[in-house]
Each structure stands twice: as structure tokens, then as C-alpha cells.
């Protein structure tokens, strides 16, 4: 396994800028003052009803259009005349000026006549009135600045300046990107004459200035990791441009690559001394010193200019407060005083504890909204799912918080400790309120606390947070009778309650004065105008509608839910009971319909009724979730009210069948001809059917969490039900894209381990062999090759015992890949030949193609390049014949590697480029990453170190299959490219980083990187 975003369009790629001549400190190219204002969307390419009839381009080849029709612009000298007139912004150019612009000091004898001829020809193709004769000369009078691409670029740049001055960096960045996109190669391409040469240089310099500004904005808005690739290429194209070097140093530092940032400075200092005999400019030297000091200010986006408001992402995640909030005045005052005093003091932490339904979240949200003016930099909120079997992981919550605070995904580290450190750094200097709802314990909360003065945290939990040092603890009890009656009255109405005050007191008393219970009862009464309060009180007086008393806290909670449940229709009660059986954070409407075994239309009616009764929440259109305590109560109802356990078992079986049937369909649609669906367990209930791969993938990734929760739950049930266990492992295999994409790798691994442990415990070699094959894939993606090989070895043995063709094919295929990565090429060839034979015996052409392409990789390493190319082409031919797209990308990837090693670099780049596009279309970012790595190798072999470095940087940003080992291989290639670009110090830093990883892993690549380091030390 090996192999990321699409290849940048050549016109926008930094390598394309190498052929554009540059001069230092050229002014913005305008020969006649500011351009006319542009419309809101001035780009000429965006044809609109108000777009100019005739349009011109000078930021590339000089061209003209009338509408969509391209107009002939004549000979190079005629285009030179057109360009000279266009660049004068409507001012008249005399004949001598035009002659000098086109021919300089050596005009032809008939220069004036030639000028007139050119002008006459242009008049014939342009709309009337554009080219005019004036005072012995000529002028082009454009009706609008948008008629010329340069005018559009000027307007966009001016708007970007205004947006930046106003503090809107995101808009400024977008405007500059549009301006830069107007360049189409070298400006005034192919136009002769001294005037064109001068303007070409000025336009090229202006483009570089715009690029520097846009890259500066990239760093200001936190896109430093993405900027590294482009800056690496630009510094190679313009090695003496110190501002680019400065931006590269800052981008590397903010990406956690401090040593490389310092190496860039060392390379720059040496280059300037060798080429110009000067030292770096003071700004560059100052930046080096700040990096050496690990200046904390460098880790954050730069402050805006003094006159501009800083651009800060201000999250506002608080849920809506209830309009009828009642009572709790002492608590509101107490908590409000603590939060309002957080400014300039040590972080304030208040933890609310109490039984379920007592109103902890409602109180916390109300207080948080009231305190918003004291936290102008934003409010964060998360439900920590503390009462679930799988509470929210702090590492996942930290990732969500960092994204909400404006941190791009590529800048978010992997480990919880690193994320917590970045989270605290991001909050430093800000005043942010964090509401941590439904926490399990103090250990879950601690990594999520801001830790800086001016910030505050509100925590709610069923347990008392005595383990939170310095926290202000609040124990929330039920409402007083007066508060409870007031809440009931606000919902039901004063007139109805006033007429039956005693009955209302009986209702709130039966609810145990618990806010959630009161709200449910009052909402039901308010929705039924024919009921009196006495009717509701009589229903609640019947103890058969309430649970037996177990303990004080549980009694109140269960009484609350019993109230709502008892008022449901029988079909609604059944839906409530059965849906509560399923694990997972939420459930989709089609999955719920499978659980209930009714149509989606009827299911939606049932679920919406439960939402109305506050027994279910609508998480999003078509998705539903239980409150954690309500789910527990629903399960208790299922155990109590279902006539037999068979009803509960059948509901979960239908859910498992739904996920398996749908996932198998997605797999088959993505991989037509693959034999996996034929070897899967049969399902008795259908799933969804898709006709388009994109919609199928949308479903798979949207359902990832509940699907994997179903696998984990089924692994527990599978201890008594072999058929359930086998369907669970098949579901895991059908959803393998979830781990190959890297999007759900940890959850997938957890589910795979659960299934594997159950299969081992019940001694089911069939299920265990398949489970270990999925674990092999998990370890491979993460770069844990020894663990992967061990799992694959055990899977092969179990497959022989169970006579199961699936692991018998795929386990040796995986062992061949592992042996390739570990440098055991003879073993790898043996395993892959076994896999090919087994795939052929099973009639699995898709698997055979995969193994052929992997064997091609082995032959590359063994130096058998003709056979390597032939094997990859055999694999591609099968993929083509089967109509595959994603797997075809793997085939082109393998062929690209073989062609690179054979020196057929043009063909290699074509194959790798197509593979990259296919991986991107199929949402395989890890494969995109390794494909960028292979493109870097090919460009390096072709003598294009700038492009090689750019692709290597993109591979690092996207990561790739192979974990840390892969990152080290990319760093090795990046170092080679940097050496060719003269950046030897930075190259050494890359190689030292790679050396550390290879040494830790015991990788065969260690020898090569040490040789590279030794060669540079000797240089």
C-alpha cells in the first residue's frame, strides 16, 4: 500500500514563475494612475449580462474576445501595437512613441506606414469606437476597466488592500488569489519591442509582490502548513528575494519545524554572501533571533496594522437558552459574579453537579449567555457524553475546539498532549468562555480547560468534580415548590393553572420538582387543550405509571421519563424502546426504519412524535439522538415491556443487516467485479441502494460513527451468536475505506480489535481470520509494519484452518506489501505470487490486479524494470476491463513508480498525475499524500527540484499511508531536492529528522540517509 491533492495548474504553480524576468523594487504597473472601479465580480472569464462586449488580456499572451469569440490579433508587431495602446489606460500614444515602443532604435524605413496598417487591421476586428485616431496618434478607449485583465487585477488588488486595512484578512486573501489567477504564464508573451520588455518586467515584479502579500495573509490566517510548499518553490525560483525567505522561515516555524526554519536562514546568509557579498536584511536576522528564543508571539497570527481591527475567529457555540427559564436566582447570581470577575484573574472554573434532569445544562447555558459580554472572544460548547459507554475523547474535542478557533486541519497535531498545548496557546490573550456539558469525570475535563487568565469554564456533570483543583463546586438540587409551579405556569398558561392551583401543585409534586419532568408534563398539557390540569394530575397519581423507588436520584429521573413514556401511543412506545437499544452517537432515518421494521415515512412520523415529547432530539435533518439518560431509560423499558428478548435481538439484527447490506453495496459500486461481496454473510433485511459512487461514499462517511458503533456492539452480542459476529466482521471489511482514507482510523481500529478479541475468545477461526486481516490494514496505514505482519501471518493460518478464501488471498497480498516496505524483497515476491494464485483460484480479478501491481513494486526494487512495467500494465488492463476507478488509481500509481525508475519520466508523471486525480475524487487523502511523494521522486529525477520540493511538502502536509516511516521517506526526498536548490542547511535538518525516525523503527532506509548526511558534512 502506498500513495494525494491534485497537481497544481501550471499557470498558478510557482515553478511557472521561474521563466518570468524580475527586477527589484519595481513599482505597481500603472502608467496612468488608479484604474476605474470594478464591478463586484469583475473577472472577464465570468461572462455576465453586463460584461464588456470586447475584452482584452495582457497578463499572458495578448488576446482579444468579442463575447466568447476569439478575435485575431495579427502579427507579433501588431500585437505589440495593441499592447502598447492597452497599457496606456486610454491615453493617446503618438506615432513616434509607438514606433519607439515596437522597434526601439532600429525602426524600419516605412515604420509610420506600418503603424497605420496595423491600426487599420485592428479597427476591422474590434468593435467600432474602441480604437480611435487622436492628435496624430492612436488610443484604445475601453468602456470599463473590466474589459482588460490588468484592470481587473488592479481593482482586485485595491479591494484586497481595503479589506486588509479593515481587518478582513480572509476576504483580502481571496481577492488576491483571484487577481493572481488572471495571470496566464508570462505577461505580454511573444510581444517584441523594448516597451514590451519593460512592461513585462514590471508586471512580473508586481505579480511577485502580490504573491508575497497573499502568502503573508496565508500566514496571518493560520494556513502556514499549506504555504510551506509554495514558498519552498518560490524561494528556489527567486533565491535572492529575502522576503520570500522570511515568509518561509515563519511558515516552517509555525508548522513545528523550527530546525528547518533556522536552516533556511543559514542557507540564505551563505547565498547572499557568495552571490552579493552582503548580510541578510535586518528583518530576516531579527526573525532568526526570535525563532532561536522560541518567541511565543511568532506562534500566533501577526497583529493587524494599528489602524485595522484584528481578524479573530470568534466561536459562538452556545445552545439556545430556553425562553421560559425560571428560578435558580441564587445560582444565577453566584455563577454570574464568578464569571464576570474572570477578567485579568486566574481562570475561573465552576462545576455544576446533580441528578439527571435537574436542569444543570439549562442553568449553565442561561448563565453562559448572560456572561457573553465578559467574553468577547467567543464561547465554546461541547457535550462530553459522560454517561455513554464511550464518552467523548478529549483528543477529539480538542480538535473540534481548535478548528472552531480558526486552526486549519493541517496544523492540528495528532496527540492529546500536543493538541492541549496548542489549545492553551491559542487561547492565550483571549477572553473565551468554555461550556463543558455532561462530563464523565475530572480526568476528561482537565485537558479541555483553558488554563489562562481571562478565560473561564463551566462544567456540568452527574458527579461532583472534587478532583478539579480550584474549581467552584455547585450542587444543584430540585426546584422549590414555588419555582416548580412558576415553571409549570409559564408553559401551561396562568389562566389554566389559576383555575386548578391545587391540581397543579399535585402535578409538580408527582414530578419530584424535577425541571425536566415538569417541562415534559407541562408541554403535553399545553398541547392538549381538552385536558384539564386535574386530568393530568390523576394520570400522575397512578403509581403504575411510575417506576418503583430504587434510590432518591434515580427515582426522580425515572419518574420523569416514565411520565413522557406513559403518554405515548403503543407504536411510539415500541419505537422509543427499540431505538434505545442501538449504540452510537445518533441514528439516521433509514437505519431507524430498519430497527423498527416499518417504512421510512411511518418511522419519521414516530420519531418526530418522540421529538415533540422531548424523549428524542433531532440532531440534524434526517438524524436523531437520545439524551444519554433517556437512552438508558429506553433500554430499561425494552427489557421490561418487550414480550420476549427475541424482539430486542431482532431489532439489532435488522440494524446490523441494514449497515452490512448498504456497505456491501457501496463496496461493490466502488469496486465492480471484486469478489468480497460474494464471500460476505447473507443478510435477511435490505439496505440502501445507490447508483452513483459519490452518493454512496457520502453515505459511508456520514454513517461512520454509528456504523462502527454497531460493529462494536455486535462484537459483544457475537459472543453468543456466531452469525452476528461474522456479519460484524464482514461489515468492518466492507467499510475498509474508513481506515484507508485516514478519516476514522482510530474508531475503525477499536472496532476491529473488539471483533478480533471476541472471535478469539469463542474460538471462531473464520471470524478471527477476517478480523486480523482488517487489523493488518490498520497497522499498515499507520506504518506499524511489524504488527501488521504478525496479524497477517496469523490471519493466513486461521484462513487455512477455516478454509476461508478471503484472508487466504488478502493476507499474503498484505504480507507482500509489508515485506516490500521492510526491504525483504524475496519474501515479498513469494507472498505476492501466492496471493496471485489464490486470487485466480477464487476468480477474483480485482484482487489479482492488486497483487500484480504490488508485485510490480517488488520487481522495481529488484531491478527488473521491464517486468515491473509489464506487471503494472497487466493490473491496469484488468482494472480497465472491470470499470474500476479507485483501484485504477492504484494501478497507475504502481506503473508511475516503475516508469520513474526506468527513466521514462514523462510517462511516469502522466500516470502519477492521473492517479492523484482519482485518489482525490475518491476521498483518499492518505493515498494522495504518497502520490505526491512519488511525483516528487519523478520530478527530482527529471531535474526539476523546485517541483519536487513542492510535491514533497504537499505530501508532508497531507500525510500518507505508512505513518512516521512514510514521513521520513518524504523528508529524505525533500532534502535531496533542497540540496539541488542550494538549501543545504535545511536539507540536513530534514535528513536528521528522517534519521531519527528510521533509527527508532529499525528501517532499512537508515543507511541511505546516513550516507546523505555524511556526504553533506564532507562537502
Amino acid at each position: 500500500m502506498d500513495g494525494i491533492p491534485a497537481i497544481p495548474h501550471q499557470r498558478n504553480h510557482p515553478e511557472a514563475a521561474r521563466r518570468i524576468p524580475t527586477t527589484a523594487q519595481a513599482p505597481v504597473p500603472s502608467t496612468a494612475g488608479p484604474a476605474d472601479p470594478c464591478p463586484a465580480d469583475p473577472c472577464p472569464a465570468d461572462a455576465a449580462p453586463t460584461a464588456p462586449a470586447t475584452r482584452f488580456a495582457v497578463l499572458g499572451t495578448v488576446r482579444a474576445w468579442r463575447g466568447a469569440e476569439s478575435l485575431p490579433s495579427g502579427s507579433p508587431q501588431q500585437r505589440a501595437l495593441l499592447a502598447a495602446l492597452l497599457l496606456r489606460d486610454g491615453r493617446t500614444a503618438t506615432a513616434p512613441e509607438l514606433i519607439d515602443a515596437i522597434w526601439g532604435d532600429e525602426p524600419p524605413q516605412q515604420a509610420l506606414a506600418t503603424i497605420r496598417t496595423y491600426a487599420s487591421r485592428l479597427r476591422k476586428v474590434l468593435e467600432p469606437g474602441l480604437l480611435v485616431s487622436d492628435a496624430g496618434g492612436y488610443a484604445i478607449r475601453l468602456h470599463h476597466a473590466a474589459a482588460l485583465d490588468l484592470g481587473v487585477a488592479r481593482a482586485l488588488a485595491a479591494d484586497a488592500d481595503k479589506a486588509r486595512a479593515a481587518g478582513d484578512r480572509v476576504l483580502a486573501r481571496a481577492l488576491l488569489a483571484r487577481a493572481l489567477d488572471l495571470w496566464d504564464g508570462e505577461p505580454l508573451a511573444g510581444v517584441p519591442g523594448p516597451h514590451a520588455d519593460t512592461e513585462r518586467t514590471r508586471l512580473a515584479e508586481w505579480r511577485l509582490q502580490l504573491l508575497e502579500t497573499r502568502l503573508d495573509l496565508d500566514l496571518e490566517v493560520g494556513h502556514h502548513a499549506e504555504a510551506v510548499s509554495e514558498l519552498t518553490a518560490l524561494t528556489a525560483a527567486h533565491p535572492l528575494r529575502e522576503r520570500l525567505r522570511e515568509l518561509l522561515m515563519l511558515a516552517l516555524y509555525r508548522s513545528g519545524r523550527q530546525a528547518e526554519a533556522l536552516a533556511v536562514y543559514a542557507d540564505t546568509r551563505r547565498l547572499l554572501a557568495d552571490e552579493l557579498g552582503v548580510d541578510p536584511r535586518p528583518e530576516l536576522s531579527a526573525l532568526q533571533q526570535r525563532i532561536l528564543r522560541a518567541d511565543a508571539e511568532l506562534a500566533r497570527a501577526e497583529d493587524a496594522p494599528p489602524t485595522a481591527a484584528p481578524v479573530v475567529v470568534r466561536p459562538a457555540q452556545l445552545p439556545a437558552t430556553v425562553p421560559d427559564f425560571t428560578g435558580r436566582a441564587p445560582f444565577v447570581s453566584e455563577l454570574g459574579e464568578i464569571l464576570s470577575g474572570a477578567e485579568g484573574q486566574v481562570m475561573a472554573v465552576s462545576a455544576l453537579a446533580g441528578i439527571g434532569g435537574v436542569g444543570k445544562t439549562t442553568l449553565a447555558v442561561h448563565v453562559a449567555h448572560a456572561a457573553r459580554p465578559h467574553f468577547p472572544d467567543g464561547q465554546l460548547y461541547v457535550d462530553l457524553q459522560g454517561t455513554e459507554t464511550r464518552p467523548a475523547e478529549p483528543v477529539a474535542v480538542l480538535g473540534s475546539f481548535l478548528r472552531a478557533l480558526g486552526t486549519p486541519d493541517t496544523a492540528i497535531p495528532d496527540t492529546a498532549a500536543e493538541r492541549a498545548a496548542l489549545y492553551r496557546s491559542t487561547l492565550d490573550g483571549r477572553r473565551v468562555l468554555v461550556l463543558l456539558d455532561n462530563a464523565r469525570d475530572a480526568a476528561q475535563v482537565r485537558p479541555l480547560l483553558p488554563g489562562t487568565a481571562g478565560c473561564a469554564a463551566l462544567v456540568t456533570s452527574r458527579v461532583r468534580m472534587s478532583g478539579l483543583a480550584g474549581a467552584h463546586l455547585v450542587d444543584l438540587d430540585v426546584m422549590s415548590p414555588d419555582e416548580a409551579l412558576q415553571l409549570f405556569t409559564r408553559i401551561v398558561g396562568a389562566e389554566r393553572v389559576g383555575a386548578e392551583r391545587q391540581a397543579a401543585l399535585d402535578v409538580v409534586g408527582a414530578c419530584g420538582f424535577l425541571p425536566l419532568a415538569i417541562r415534559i408534563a407541562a408541554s403535553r398539557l399545553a398541547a392538549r387543550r381538552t385536558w384539564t390540569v386535574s386530568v393530568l394530575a390523576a394520570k400522575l397519581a397512578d403509581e403504575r405509571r411510575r417506576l418503583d423507588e430504587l434510590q432518591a436520584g434515580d427515582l426522580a429521573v425515572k419518574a420523569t421519563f416514565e411520565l413522557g413514556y406513559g403518554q405515548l401511543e403503543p407504536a411510539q412506545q415500541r419505537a422509543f424502546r427499540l431505538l434505545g437499544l442501538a449504540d452510537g452517537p445518533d441514528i439516521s432515518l433509514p437505519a431507524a426504519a430498519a430497527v423498527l421494521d416499518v417504512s421510512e415515512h411511518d418511522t419519521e412520523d414516530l420519531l418526530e412524535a418522540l421529538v415533540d415529547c422531548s424523549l428524542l432530539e433531532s440532531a440534524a435533518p434526517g438524524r436523531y439522538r437520545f439524551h444519554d439518560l433517556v437512552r438508558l431509560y429506553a433500554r430499561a423499558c425494552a427489557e421490561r415491556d418487550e414480550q420476549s428478548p427475541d424482539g430486542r435481538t431482532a431489532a439489532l439484527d435488522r440494524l446490523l443487516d441494514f449497515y452490512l447490506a448498504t456497505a456491501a453495496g457501496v463496496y461493490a459500486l466502488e469496486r465492480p467485479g471484486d469478489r468480497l461481496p460474494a464471500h460476505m454473510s447473507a443478510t435477511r433485511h435490505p439496505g440502501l441502494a445507490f447508483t452513483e459512487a459519490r452518493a454512496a461514499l457520502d453515505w459511508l462517511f456520514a454513517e461512520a460513527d454509528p456504523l462502527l458503533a454497531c460493529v462494536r456492539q455486535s462484537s459483544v452480542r457475537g459472543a453468543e451468536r456466531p452469525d452476528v459476529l461474522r456479519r460484524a466482521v464482514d461489515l468492518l471489511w466492507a467499510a475498509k475505506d474508513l481506515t484507508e482514507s485516514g478519516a476514522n482510523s482510530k474508531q475503525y481500529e477499536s472496532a476491529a480489535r473488539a471483533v478480533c478479541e471476541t472471535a478469539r475468545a469463542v474460538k471462531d477461526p473464520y471470524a478471527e481470520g477476517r478480523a486480523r486481516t482488517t487489523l493488518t490494514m490498520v497497522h499498515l496505514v499507520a506504518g506499524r509494519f511489524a504488527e501488521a505482519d504478525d496479524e497477517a501471518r496469523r490471519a493466513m493460518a486461521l484462513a487455512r484452518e477455516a478454509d476461508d478464501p478471503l484472508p487466504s488471498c488478502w493476507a499474503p497480498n498484505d504480507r507482500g506489501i509489508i515485506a516490500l516496505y521492510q526491504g525483504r524483497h524475496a519474501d515479498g515476491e513469494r507472498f505476492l505470487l501466492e496471493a496471485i494464485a489464490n486470487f485466480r483460484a477464487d476468480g477474483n480479478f480485482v484482487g489479482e490486479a492488486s497483487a500484480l501491481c504490488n508485485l510490480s513494486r517488488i520487481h522495481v526494487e529488484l531491478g527488473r524494470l521491464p517486468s515491473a512495467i509489464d506487471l503494472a500494465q497487466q493490473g491496469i488492463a484488468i482494472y480497465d476491463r472491470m470499470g474500476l476507478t479507485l483501484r485504477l488509481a492504484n494501478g497507475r500509481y504502481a506503473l508511475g513508480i516503475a516508469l520513474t525508475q526506468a527513466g521514462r519520466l514523462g510517462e511516469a508523471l502522466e500516470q502519477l498525475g492521473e492517479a492523484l486525480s482519482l485518489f482525490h475524487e475518491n476521498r483518499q487523502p492518505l493515498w494522495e499524500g504518497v502520490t505526491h511523494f512519488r511525483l516528487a521522486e519523478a520530478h527530482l529525477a527529471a531535474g526539476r527540484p523546485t517541483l519536487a520540493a513542492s510535491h514533497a511538502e504537499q505530501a508532508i502536509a497531507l500525510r500518507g499511508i505508512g505513518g512516521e516511516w512514510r514521513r521520513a521517506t518524504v523528508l529524505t526526498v525533500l532534502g535531496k531536492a533542497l540540496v539541488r536548490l542550494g538549501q543545504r542547511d535545511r536539507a540536513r535538518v530534514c535528513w536528521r529528522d528522517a534519521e531519527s525516525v528510521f533509527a527508532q523503527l529499525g528501517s532499512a532506509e537508515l543507511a541511505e540517509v546516513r550516507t546523505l548526511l555524511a556526504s553533506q558534512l564532507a562537502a
Side-chain angles (χ1 to χ4, degrees):
M1 300 173 69
D2 215 353
I4 270 181
I7 302 174
H9 196 293
Q10 187 66 27
R11 62 180 282 191
N12 292 323
H13 197 281
E15 184 78 9
R18 297 191 69 175
R19 63 179 183 272
I20 302 177
T22 62
T23 57
Q25 305 302 319
V28 176
S30 175
T31 58
D36 293 336
C38 275
D41 191 7
C43 182
D46 300 336
T50 58
T54 304
R55 297 176 289 114
F56 300 91
V58 294
L59 299 178
T61 303
V62 176
R63 290 172 292 174
W65 299 266
R66 181 181 296 113
E69 178 190 1
S70 179
L71 302 177
S73 54
S75 66
Q77 287 76 18
Q78 185 171 308
R79 291 198 301 274
L81 172 67
L82 177 60
L85 295 175
L86 288 170
L87 292 172
R88 292 181 72 87
D89 294 332
R91 292 182 296 111
T92 300
T94 65
E97 287 175 329
L98 292 172
I99 291 171
D100 184 63
I102 298 173
W103 291 288
D105 295 334
E106 299 179 356
Q109 289 185 352
Q110 301 297 320
L112 181 58
T114 304
I115 290 288
R116 291 170 177 164
T117 300
Y118 292 158
S120 176
R121 291 174 181 171
L122 287 171
R123 273 203 191 96
K124 291 178 182 178
V125 297
L126 302 179
E127 68 179 271
L130 272 183
L131 178 56
V132 299
S133 300
D134 182 29
Y138 298 95
I140 287 181
R141 304 280 164 78
L142 299 177
H143 303 305
H144 202 289
L148 178 64
D149 60 354
L150 177 58
V152 176
R154 288 173 182 162
L156 288 168
D159 288 344
D161 288 341
K162 292 175 185 176
R164 192 178 192 186
D168 195 341
R169 293 170 177 154
V170 174
L171 176 59
R173 180 171 173 264
L175 290 169
L176 284 176
R178 288 178 58 191
L180 288 165
D181 197 49
L182 294 173
W183 263 263
D184 190 13
E186 183 181 54
L188 305 175
V191 175
H195 179 263
D197 289 340
T198 301
E199 291 299 322
R200 203 164 15 244
T201 299
R202 294 171 66 186
L203 288 168
E205 173 60 22
W206 187 46
R207 177 181 179 276
L208 275 176
Q209 291 172 358
L210 293 179
L211 262 177
E212 288 174 340
T213 304
R214 199 219 73 215
L215 287 161
D216 197 11
L217 286 166
D218 284 351
L219 302 190
E220 289 184 15
V221 299
H223 290 192
H224 36 269
E226 297 91 332
V228 170
S229 172
E230 189 172 359
L231 282 165
T232 297
L234 282 168
T235 53
H238 309 282
L240 298 177
R241 204 169 181 98
E242 293 182 68
R243 178 57 179 157
L244 291 174
R245 299 270 182 158
E246 183 180 344
L247 291 170
L248 177 58
M249 289 173 64
L250 186 57
L252 286 166
Y253 179 75
R254 288 184 179 171
S255 300
R257 299 159 70 176
Q258 179 181 7
E260 281 187 69
L262 293 171
V264 170
Y265 178 82
D267 285 328
T268 305
R269 184 177 59 182
R270 185 182 62 253
L271 179 67
L272 291 173
D274 292 346
E275 297 289 331
L276 305 177
V278 298
D279 292 326
R281 64 180 188 165
E283 293 86 349
L284 203 62
S285 300
L287 178 59
Q288 182 223 17
Q289 291 301 313
R290 294 180 70 188
I291 292 173
L292 287 170
R293 296 195 306 269
D295 189 336
E297 290 298 314
L298 283 181
R300 297 208 308 260
E302 300 173 14
D303 292 331
T307 57
V311 176
V312 178
V313 177
R314 294 182 176 86
Q317 298 183 339
L318 295 178
T321 187
V322 293
D324 49 21
F325 181 86
T326 303
R328 309 298 199 187
F331 294 111
V332 172
S333 175
E334 177 184 359
L335 293 169
E337 183 177 348
I338 292 171
L339 294 180
S340 64
E343 183 179 357
Q345 300 180 12
V346 176
M347 174 199 59
V349 180
S350 296
L352 286 69
I355 61 173
V358 79
K360 300 181 295 294
T361 299
T362 301
L363 174 60
V365 170
H366 180 80
V367 170
H369 273 285
R372 284 183 64 183
H374 300 289
F375 300 93
D377 296 320
Q379 305 84 40
L380 297 168
Y381 171 85
V382 65
D383 178 1
L384 293 173
Q385 304 174 4
T387 55
E388 292 279 352
T389 55
R390 296 180 60 81
E393 294 288 345
V395 65
V397 176
L398 287 166
S400 175
F401 279 178
L402 286 168
R403 281 187 285 272
L405 291 165
T407 307
D409 284 348
T410 52
I412 297 176
D414 290 331
T415 67
E418 290 175 316
R419 289 186 177 188
L422 179 58
Y423 169 65
R424 293 191 294 270
S425 298
T426 304
L427 289 179
D428 185 35
R430 299 191 191 184
R431 292 162 59 193
V432 173
L433 175 61
V434 183
L435 177 46
L436 305 172
D437 194 18
N438 192 15
R440 180 176 185 175
D441 51 31
Q444 186 189 29
V445 167
R446 287 192 194 98
L448 308 178
L449 298 178
T452 56
C455 292
L458 270 175
V459 184
T460 72
S461 176
R462 292 183 68 191
V463 300
R464 205 165 190 267
M465 291 286 169
S466 55
L468 283 183
H472 176 76
L473 303 181
V474 176
D475 294 321
L476 197 60
D477 203 350
V478 296
M479 285 181 151
S480 69
D482 289 341
E483 288 178 333
L485 185 60
Q486 185 182 2
L487 174 59
F488 185 81
T489 302
R490 285 192 172 183
I491 298 172
V492 173
E495 183 178 351
R496 295 176 76 183
V497 174
E500 299 180 273
R501 179 178 173 81
Q502 185 56 51
L505 287 172
D506 291 341
V507 169
V508 296
C511 291
F513 306 111
L514 201 67
L516 182 57
I518 296 167
R519 183 173 296 281
I520 293 172
S523 298
R524 298 292 291 178
L525 183 59
R528 288 162 174 78
R529 304 302 300 176
T530 60
W531 283 13
T532 63
V533 181
S534 297
V535 170
L536 178 60
K539 289 178 177 292
L540 296 179
D542 185 356
E543 293 186 357
R544 291 172 301 176
R545 292 183 175 275
R546 287 182 280 171
L547 297 176
D548 295 332
E549 184 175 349
L550 297 175
Q551 59 184 16
D554 275 346
L555 173 63
V557 174
K558 291 180 180 179
T560 297
F561 302 141
E562 182 71 13
L563 169 66
Y565 177 72
Q567 295 175 345
L568 298 176
E569 301 293 337
Q572 295 170 351
Q573 288 183 336
R574 175 180 178 270
F576 176 73
R577 294 193 302 266
L578 295 184
L579 288 176
L581 297 172
D583 284 348
D586 63 2
I587 191 168
S588 67
L589 181 59
V595 172
L596 303 181
D597 199 20
V598 298
S599 70
E600 285 192 29
H601 180 271
D602 292 341
T603 299
E604 185 173 23
D605 288 343
L606 291 169
L607 269 55
E608 288 299 325
L610 295 177
V611 171
D612 291 341
C613 298
S614 300
L615 292 174
L616 195 66
E617 299 176 15
S618 179
R623 303 198 74 85
Y624 299 88
R625 67 187 177 203
F626 278 103
H627 181 280
D628 46 14
L629 296 176
V630 178
R631 186 199 299 274
L632 294 177
Y633 174 72
R635 291 180 175 179
C637 289
E639 293 178 4
R640 181 191 67 189
D641 296 344
E642 286 296 317
Q643 294 181 352
S644 72
D646 292 344
R648 302 195 298 272
T649 299
L652 292 175
D653 282 352
R654 288 192 296 270
L655 180 63
L656 177 59
D657 277 358
F658 167 78
Y659 281 132
L660 177 55
T662 308
V666 173
Y667 187 97
L669 187 62
E670 252 200 310
R671 302 167 174 85
D674 194 308
R675 290 275 296 160
L676 174 64
H679 291 300
M680 286 184 175
S681 303
T683 59
R684 292 186 293 274
H685 300 278
L688 299 176
F690 298 98
T691 57
E692 295 184 358
R694 179 170 294 276
L697 282 176
D698 285 342
W699 177 87
L700 181 64
F701 285 98
E703 291 292 318
D705 288 338
L707 183 151
L708 293 173
C710 180
V711 172
R712 287 190 294 267
Q713 187 174 24
S714 299
S715 72
V716 176
R717 298 197 304 128
E720 303 293 334
R721 294 270 308 279
D723 63 311
V724 169
L725 184 62
R726 293 186 177 190
R727 278 182 286 162
V729 73
D730 286 348
L731 172 56
L732 200 61
W733 205 322
K736 64 186 293 188
D737 281 345
L738 296 177
T739 189
E740 281 199 0
S741 72
N744 301 87
S745 297
K746 292 183 179 179
Q747 299 95 313
Y748 189 96
E749 180 176 357
S750 171
R753 289 187 183 279
V755 173
C756 189
E757 284 302 312
T758 301
R760 184 189 59 79
V762 300
K763 296 182 171 54
D764 184 345
Y766 179 94
E768 186 181 354
R770 293 190 173 199
R772 292 198 181 280
T773 308
T774 64
L775 278 172
T776 300
M777 180 171 54
V778 168
H779 291 308
L780 257 176
V781 169
R784 301 188 292 261
F785 301 134
E787 294 91 332
D789 193 51
D790 182 59
E791 294 290 357
R793 177 184 56 78
R794 297 166 75 175
M796 288 174 66
L798 290 161
R800 286 191 290 270
E801 181 181 348
D803 193 24
D804 185 359
L806 266 184
S808 297
C809 295
W810 288 104
N813 183 66
D814 289 340
R815 293 198 77 184
I817 299 168
I818 296 163
L820 167 69
Y821 287 162
Q822 293 181 327
R824 298 183 290 110
H825 302 132
D827 288 343
E829 184 173 27
R830 175 168 53 83
F831 288 132
L832 288 169
L833 288 172
E834 179 181 349
I836 290 169
N838 292 346
F839 280 128
R840 287 173 176 168
D842 187 45
N844 192 335
F845 301 113
V846 176
E848 177 189 348
S850 174
L852 286 169
C853 292
N854 292 327
L855 184 60
S856 166
R857 302 277 308 283
I858 292 286
H859 281 212
V860 167
E861 297 299 324
L862 293 172
R864 305 176 197 165
L865 297 180
S867 64
I869 293 171
D870 180 64
L871 287 166
Q873 289 173 334
Q874 289 182 48
I876 289 174
I878 294 174
Y879 288 141
D880 274 330
R881 189 172 72 246
M882 304 302 293
L884 288 134
T885 55
L886 175 57
R887 295 306 114 189
L888 180 61
N890 294 106
R892 296 199 183 284
Y893 173 82
L895 180 57
I897 293 172
L899 291 169
T900 298
Q901 296 303 313
R904 295 160 59 178
L905 302 177
E907 297 170 77
L909 289 168
E910 180 182 358
Q911 294 294 327
L912 292 170
E914 291 184 19
L916 187 64
S917 297
L918 289 171
F919 285 134
H920 184 69
E921 291 171 8
N922 287 274
R923 306 182 204 182
Q924 297 292 323
L926 298 181
W927 276 101
E928 287 183 69
V930 289
T931 308
H932 272 296
F933 164 64
R934 297 301 181 182
L935 283 163
E937 288 186 320
H939 280 299
L940 191 64
R944 291 189 285 267
T946 302
L947 279 173
S950 176
H951 282 290
E953 287 289 358
Q954 291 180 71
I956 290 172
L958 286 160
R959 302 166 188 168
I961 290 174
E964 279 294 283
W965 173 83
R966 172 61 67 203
R967 187 176 71 87
T969 62
V970 177
L971 285 170
T972 303
V973 170
L974 176 58
K976 294 177 181 178
L978 292 172
V979 164
R980 295 195 190 181
L981 294 171
Q983 301 180 30
R984 293 193 295 273
D985 289 281
R986 186 179 164 199
R988 281 194 289 269
V989 171
C990 292
W991 289 337
R992 289 193 191 102
D993 194 357
E995 179 187 31
S996 175
V997 173
F998 288 144
Q1000 185 177 0
L1001 297 176
S1003 301
E1005 292 83 0
L1006 179 61
E1008 179 194 8
V1009 78
R1010 283 181 171 169
T1011 300
L1012 291 169
L1013 281 167
S1015 67
Q1016 283 303 301
L1017 290 173

